[in-house]
Amino acid sequence: MTFTDSVKTCLRKYVTFSGRASRPEYWYFILFTFLVSVVAGIIDWQFFTTVASVQSDTTSAVAATSNQPVQSVFGLLLFLPQMAAAWRRMHDIGRSGFYALFPFLLMLCAVGVLVFGIGIAGSFTHGGSLDLLFTRATLLIVIPTLIVLLISPLLVLWWLTRPSQPGTNAYGPNPHEVSS
């Protein structure tokens, strides 16, 4: 599959989460989204950047700010096709598409543990035994969660680079073996 075929296929299957996606289809589309992001960032820099000069008696500074509207719009437009392509890519190696969401789910869990654990600990008398108990319990849960959170994107990346499962699997025929 060529670069243009990959982009056309992924945009045509904008929110198609069923079926399989080959490695070239997925990775060429990721390259396309990266290139679009770079071009959108350059457009934002050229047209939507405000430069402010701040001077004091001893120093002067220049600050450039941008809301990055073009990059944000393209990021939102390409989010669903990226997720659909990752979902189909997971299907191609014989895994459920939910595995593509693994790092995001772990991140939500870690934030939930921190918010609720520290929030519960904060409701007790400061320095009391229950405050210390909930704080320590939160740390005991958060530290392993953070370690898994650091490893999980690498695991998903490894899965996304695996070769296609040969033959037909539960998610459909192998994209390499299907004639267009």
Side-chain angles (χ1 to χ4, degrees), residues 136-151:
R136 289 179 181 158
T138 300
L139 287 176
L140 284 175
I141 294 170
V142 167
I143 290 172
T145 304
L146 290 175
I147 292 169
V148 171
L149 185 62
L150 292 173
I151 294 170

Side-chain angles (χ1 to χ4, degrees), residues 82-168:
Q82 279 181 322
M83 278 313 299
W87 201 273
R88 291 191 315 271
R89 181 71 195 116
M90 286 294 182
H91 286 175
D92 191 42
I93 62 167
R95 296 195 176 277
S96 170
F98 283 108
Y99 283 102
L101 299 176
F102 191 54
F104 300 115
L105 296 175
L106 284 174
M107 192 180 325
L108 288 175
C109 290
V111 168
V113 165
L114 278 174
V115 167
F116 291 117
I118 293 173
I120 290 171
S123 65
F124 297 111
T125 307
H126 186 63
S129 60
L130 284 177
D131 178 30
L132 291 173
L133 174 73
F134 276 101
T135 303
R136 289 179 181 158
T138 300
L139 287 176
L140 284 175
I141 294 170
V142 167
I143 290 172
T145 304
L146 290 175
I147 292 169
V148 171
L149 185 62
L150 292 173
I151 294 170
S152 68
L154 298 175
L155 179 63
V156 171
L157 182 66
W158 183 73
W159 283 334
L160 291 171
T161 61
R162 305 309 316 145
S164 297
Q165 192 177 46
T168 301

Side-chain angles (χ1 to χ4, degrees), residues 30-115:
I30 293 300
L31 176 63
F32 169 74
T33 58
F34 174 75
L35 294 174
V36 165
S37 178
V38 167
V39 170
I42 291 169
I43 291 170
D44 282 336
W45 179 257
Q46 286 294 75
F47 298 109
F48 299 103
T49 300
T50 306
V51 178
S53 178
V54 179
Q55 294 185 358
S56 66
D57 294 339
T58 57
T59 62
S60 64
V62 176
T65 60
S66 173
N67 291 334
Q68 301 175 332
V70 177
Q71 203 168 22
S72 299
V73 167
F74 277 110
L76 286 173
L77 287 174
L78 293 175
F79 176 73
L80 283 176
Q82 279 181 322
M83 278 313 299
W87 201 273
R88 291 191 315 271
R89 181 71 195 116
M90 286 294 182
H91 286 175
D92 191 42
I93 62 167
R95 296 195 176 277
S96 170
F98 283 108
Y99 283 102
L101 299 176
F102 191 54
F104 300 115
L105 296 175
L106 284 174
M107 192 180 325
L108 288 175
C109 290
V111 168
V113 165
L114 278 174
V115 167

Side-chain angles (χ1 to χ4, degrees), residues 10-29:
C10 287
L11 290 178
R12 189 172 48 248
K13 295 180 177 181
Y14 195 86
V15 289
T16 303
F17 289 85
S18 62
R20 294 169 67 170
S22 63
R23 274 192 290 189
E25 178 182 336
Y26 176 75
W27 288 107
Y28 279 145
F29 190 67

